[in-house]
């Protein structure tokens, strides 16, 4: 079965997931994760610094 046929079949069966529906930037995901994760203040500062200085510059938006 080719991709287009599978996609149409998934739509008919309500199994289709739009690939762009759940798109979220790494920056937004990291900010949400840091906000929800319980951790000591020093750990949070360290994670924020690692994300800001190393992860986000490498992965972009």
């Amino acid at each position: 079965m080719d991709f287009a046929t599978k996609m149409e079949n998934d739509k008919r069966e309500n199994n289709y997931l739009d690939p762009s529906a759940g798109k979220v930037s790494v920056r937004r995901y990291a900010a949400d994760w840091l906000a929800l994760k319980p951790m000591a203040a020093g750990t949070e500062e360290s994670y924020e610094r690692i994300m800001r200085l190393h992860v986000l510059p490498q992965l972009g938006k």
Side-chain angles (χ1 to χ4, degrees):
M1 181 180 309
D2 68 6
F3 178 75
T5 304
K6 170 129 178 54
M7 184 175 66
E8 292 304 318
N9 188 52
D10 286 350
K11 285 180 182 178
R12 276 192 304 279
E13 295 178 1
N14 291 323
N15 292 328
Y16 177 74
L17 297 175
D18 183 357
S20 63
K23 283 190 177 181
V24 63
S25 69
V26 173
R27 182 179 306 278
R28 168 80 321 190
Y29 186 88
D32 291 347
W33 181 79
L34 285 171
L36 294 173
K37 195 83 170 152
M39 62 184 85
T43 303
E44 185 174 358
E45 289 172 15
S46 178
Y47 284 8
E48 184 278 326
R49 185 172 47 255
I50 291 167
M51 291 300 293
R52 181 172 38 82
L53 297 176
H54 302 289
V55 176
L56 296 175
Q58 292 297 314
L59 296 179
K61 295 182 180 182

